[in-house]
Amino acid sequence: MNNLKILLKMATDKKVLKSLLETYHLLKDDPNFTLIKYMKMMQGILKGEKLVAHEDVYILSTFFPPFPTEAFIQNIIAVDAPIEIFTKQIYAKRTAPISMYLCVTNKCPNNCVYCSAAQRQSEQELTTEEWIKLLEDLQNMHIPIIGLTGGEPMIREDIYELLKAIDDRSVVILFTSGFNLTYERAQMLKSSGLFGIGISLDSHDKTIHNRNRNDDRAFDYALDALKNASKAGIYTMAQTVILKDQVDEESLFKLFRLAYKNGAHEVKILEPILSGNLLAEEDASKILYSTDDRKKLIAIQHKANKRNDMPKITSFAYTESEAKFGCGAGNQHSYISASGELYPCDFVPMRFGNVKDRPISELWLEMNQNIGIPKTKCFAQEVNRKVFIASDGILPLAKSDSVEICMKHRSERFPKYYRDLQK
Ligand code: SF4
């Protein structure tokens, strides 16, 4: 279905109209708020995106929780001044990130070339009770998207218990290699409250995927997992790390079609990031994208999003670009390691305190004050070499050094989504 058809469907959906009205009431008393700006905000969210209807909700952008949901409302109210919600939002002065990803285990049956969990296998992981307490705290901060990642989260026997501990103030997305995802398990995930799943699929070519994942069974796991998750009613994303030499329309379109044929509603493209095993490489320029690689990828994404025989395509390269929302590390997005350490992002191993020592709401605000506003470039690509050197390779970096690097890399210029609303 194209965007126009979905917009027409939304226009006649009573739940959509009710939620639009609720959102309007939350924002209307802010002196900076106008109806035109409200429309601009929606336009900014939708720009370059393919709209997707899934069950009774709509995915405007994977950066935001689906609409209309309680999680969407939670995202709006995650500021400290109810009368100035709109102003706080457009200056990114939040009291919580939009998404918090939790590394619920470092254990994994694979050994991917770009994995950031590879160096943390020996950490003492949080217990089930500690995770459940943390989930409650995160929801009380109004965090609308909770990601469960790893390692391989499907290794945890208590994964269903963790999901059941999260109420509808947040949507949950689970990131998996597809390991062990039978149809029965997918149904259990769905009935435990899972909204979305990101399943690793790096290429249409089985050999490439298995080589990236260092596992000969990974490709078959992934395709079965896509089918099983989709059949169970979970919003299903094929998550793919596209290497520099694979940014090619023909092979990407093959990947998009393969994912679609196997049930994916979306293909989410990540680019290689200077993290994990890559930090040990002396020259990573053969692996990292250039500006032209990114432009080429975004053009392929937008072309694919106009077609009806492919799923929604999203990419970090576009969503986190200067032209859209920018880099969310420590502002729109954050990450908690298996041992409870707060990081600005999954890919930025800077230590900002442990959830076992201080409330997460305090730790996050302190980190956010050091990081500042969303950045116009990927923070990981910009600082990770420095982080690796300053830590002598023993990650994560100590807090005092982390603060020092953050202060030197604060951004002054907002990404375009914000600039347009500030005018
Ligand atoms: S540091 Fe890079 S990967 Fe992390 S949020 Fe920013 S743009 Fe995304």
Side-chain angles (χ1 to χ4, degrees):
M1 226 191 285
N2 64 30
N3 277 6
L4 188 62
K5 279 193 187 150
I6 296 188
L7 282 170
L8 288 173
K9 187 170 180 254
M10 289 175 80
T12 55
D13 185 331
K14 280 190 192 134
K15 278 195 279 164
V16 167
L17 301 176
K18 194 170 161 240
S19 190
L20 278 173
L21 206 62
E22 190 180 351
T23 310
Y24 173 77
H25 277 287
L26 284 169
L27 302 171
K28 74 175 178 10
D29 293 330
D30 187 318
N32 270 325
F33 179 72
T34 61
L35 257 182
I36 295 199
K37 286 205 174 171
Y38 190 26
M39 283 161 70
K40 243 181 163 180
M41 186 172 104
M42 288 300 180
Q43 257 176 10
I45 294 172
L46 282 172
K47 190 179 154 206
E49 295 279 354
K50 180 176 192 167
L51 266 169
V52 177
H54 178 70
E55 298 191 327
D56 58 348
V57 297
Y58 304 87
I59 288 83
L60 314 179
S61 152
T62 34
F63 191 79
F64 283 94
F67 188 78
T69 55
E70 181 51 38
F72 195 90
I73 300 293
Q74 293 291 310
N75 177 40
I76 293 171
I77 62 175
V79 301
D80 63 4
I83 193 89
E84 289 180 339
I85 291 184
F86 186 72
T87 309
K88 296 270 174 181
Q89 286 281 356
I90 64 175
Y91 285 91
K93 290 199 181 337
R94 308 180 55 84
T95 50
I98 302 172
S99 55
M100 177 73 88
Y101 287 3
L102 311 176
C103 177
V104 290
T105 182
N106 285 322
K107 298 183 188 75
C108 183
N110 308 313
N111 179 25
C112 306
V113 287
Y114 31 69
C115 180
S116 58
Q119 294 148 342
R120 305 196 293 262
Q121 296 282 354
S122 59
E123 281 181 353
Q124 174 78 40
E125 299 185 355
L126 298 188
T127 63
T128 306
E129 292 69 32
E130 285 167 335
W131 281 120
I132 289 178
K133 168 74 177 68
L134 178 61
L135 288 166
E136 191 187 336
D137 293 346
L138 297 175
Q139 289 211 277
N140 290 340
M141 288 168 69
H142 310 295
I143 296 178
I145 301 175
I146 294 177
L148 303 180
T149 181
E152 171 49 71
M154 288 304 289
I155 269 181
R156 285 193 76 111
E157 285 175 6
D158 62 357
I159 195 76
Y160 309 104
E161 199 180 337
L162 298 185
L163 283 168
K164 284 180 187 159
I166 304 167
D167 63 41
D168 70 354
R169 287 173 294 164
S170 313
V171 291
V172 190
I173 301 174
L174 182 128
F175 298 95
T176 171
S177 60
F179 173 79
N180 237 346
L181 195 71
T182 60
Y183 177 54
E184 290 67 34
R185 285 199 174 90
Q187 279 181 308
M188 280 165 72
L189 290 171
K190 173 77 177 171
S191 63
S192 304
L194 185 70
F195 171 75
I197 196 161
I199 296 164
S200 307
L201 180 67
D202 291 344
S203 170
H204 66 278
D205 183 328
K206 185 172 182 163
T207 318
I208 293 176
H209 178 92
N210 288 346
R211 190 186 61 211
N212 286 351
R213 303 270 152 191
N214 279 326
D215 186 338
D216 288 345
R217 300 155 302 171
F219 188 76
D220 295 334
Y221 281 158
L223 294 191
D224 285 347
L226 284 173
K227 283 185 249 179
N228 292 336
S230 187
K231 195 170 147 203
I234 300 170
Y235 182 73
T236 302
M237 294 174 281
Q239 179 140 304
T240 173
V241 178
I242 294 299
L243 303 181
K244 193 179 167 78
D245 59 359
Q246 294 160 358
V247 182
D248 161 71
E249 182 176 307
E250 197 187 331
S251 72
L252 282 176
F253 274 22
K254 279 187 192 161
L255 171 68
F256 301 159
R257 286 199 195 93
L258 176 76
Y260 196 50
K261 203 175 104 196
N262 284 281
H265 303 102
E266 177 175 331
V267 173
K268 190 174 212 170
I269 302 173
L270 280 70
E271 64 180 76
I273 287 185
L274 190 58
S275 69
N277 299 346
L278 268 187
L279 279 168
E281 301 261 334
E282 270 184 25
D283 178 14
S285 63
K286 282 189 260 119
I287 293 169
L288 300 178
Y289 284 14
S290 64
T291 307
D292 283 347
D293 294 326
R294 241 171 248 129
K295 275 190 193 154
K296 190 172 166 193
L297 178 67
I298 293 169
I300 296 170
Q301 170 185 346
H302 287 163
K303 189 166 174 187
N305 272 341
K306 292 200 180 98
R307 299 179 59 138
N308 289 331
D309 60 340
M310 292 183 190
K312 175 180 175 73
I313 312 297
T314 53
S315 72
F316 271 32
Y318 180 60
T319 308
E320 299 193 310
S321 67
E322 188 278 334
K324 193 87 188 194
F325 304 111
C327 163
N331 189 302
Q332 302 145 336
H333 175 70
S334 304
Y335 173 86
I336 295 173
S337 77
S339 63
E341 294 291 337
L342 174 66
Y343 296 1
C345 160
D346 330 19
F347 302 104
V348 181
M350 287 180 165
R351 192 192 291 269
F352 275 95
N354 195 294
V355 299
K356 289 199 268 189
D357 303 329
R358 271 177 74 197
I360 178 63
S361 53
E362 287 180 25
L363 292 178
W364 191 83
L365 276 181
E366 191 182 69
M367 176 178 76
N368 176 250
Q369 275 153 17
N370 287 301
I371 294 262
I373 64 172
K375 298 172 190 307
T376 49
K377 282 194 183 142
C378 174
F379 193 44
Q381 311 282 35
E382 207 171 321
V383 300
N384 274 4
R385 181 72 68 196
K386 280 189 190 168
V387 170
F388 188 63
I389 292 167
S391 70
D392 278 335
I394 303 164
L395 298 167
L397 183 65
K399 187 174 166 186
S400 55
D401 294 330
S402 299
V403 169
E404 202 181 314
I405 293 181
C406 285
M407 296 312 278
K408 282 190 188 144
H409 289 267
R410 282 170 72 90
S411 186
E412 297 298 324
R413 183 177 159 81
F414 277 91
K416 192 162 187 316
Y417 168 79
Y418 295 94
R419 291 202 311 273
D420 284 351
L421 291 170
Q422 291 163 6
K423 280 180 204 154

